């Protein structure tokens, strides 16, 4: 018999399953196990003083096109955000110096600060 933790509709169960070729016994289902408390949310990333650009939708950062401290012009692509299988260019809304608050591969929620321009 092998033990497994199974999560069904937010409830955790410990179950025992017979391996193929093993001795036949009836499976044992334990009472629901209390889920561990969620880890505290990570501290907000440090962003520069300036106008923040917030994520318009949840997604994954595919690429960061500029480094912190780079001077950008309005319309320059700062990063690429993948959402719903589409690549979306996040562009500078004004001229200035950019401070990027996310890294490549990061998952972001709608409203998270992606970068600031001062």
């Amino acid at each position: 018999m092998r033990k497994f933790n199974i999560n069904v509709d937010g409830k955790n169960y410990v179950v025992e399953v017979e391996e193929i070729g093993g001795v036949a016994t009836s499976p044992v289902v334990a009472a629901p196990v209390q889920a561990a408390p969620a880890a505290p949310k990570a501290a907000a990333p440090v962003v520069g003083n300036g106008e923040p650009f917030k994520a318009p939708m949840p997604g994954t950062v595919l690429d960061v096109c500029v480094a912190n401290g780079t001077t950008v012009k309005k319309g320059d692509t700062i990063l690429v955000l993948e959402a719903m299988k589409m690549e979306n260019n996040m562009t500078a809304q004004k001229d200035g110096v950019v401070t990027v608050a996310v890294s490549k591969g990061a998952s972001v929620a709608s409203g998270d600060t992606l970068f600031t321009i001062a």
Side-chain angles (χ1 to χ4, degrees):
M1 297 292 275
R2 295 183 62 188
K3 283 188 175 184
F4 294 93
N5 289 322
I6 307 290
N7 185 309
V8 178
D9 293 328
K11 292 184 180 179
N12 288 323
Y13 298 90
V14 177
V15 295
E16 289 185 6
V17 179
E18 177 185 356
E19 293 185 50
I20 295 178
V23 179
T25 60
S26 53
V28 177
V29 178
V33 176
Q34 192 69 300
K41 191 171 181 177
V46 177
V47 293
N49 295 332
E51 185 176 335
F53 183 91
K54 307 243 183 223
M57 64 199 93
T60 302
V61 178
L62 288 184
D63 192 21
V64 177
C65 303
V66 298
N68 283 334
T70 302
T71 300
V72 295
K73 300 276 187 201
K74 181 178 181 178
D76 287 351
T77 299
I78 307 298
L79 57 87
V80 180
L81 182 68
E82 179 187 44
M84 298 182 286
K85 305 287 184 195
M86 294 176 54
E87 293 182 10
N88 302 282
N89 291 334
M90 301 294 117
T91 58
Q93 65 273 32
K94 66 177 188 174
D95 295 353
V97 177
V98 69
T99 302
V100 181
V102 294
S103 59
K104 183 175 180 176
S107 292
V108 297
S110 183
D112 286 354
T113 299
L114 300 177
F115 56 88
T116 58
I117 297 180

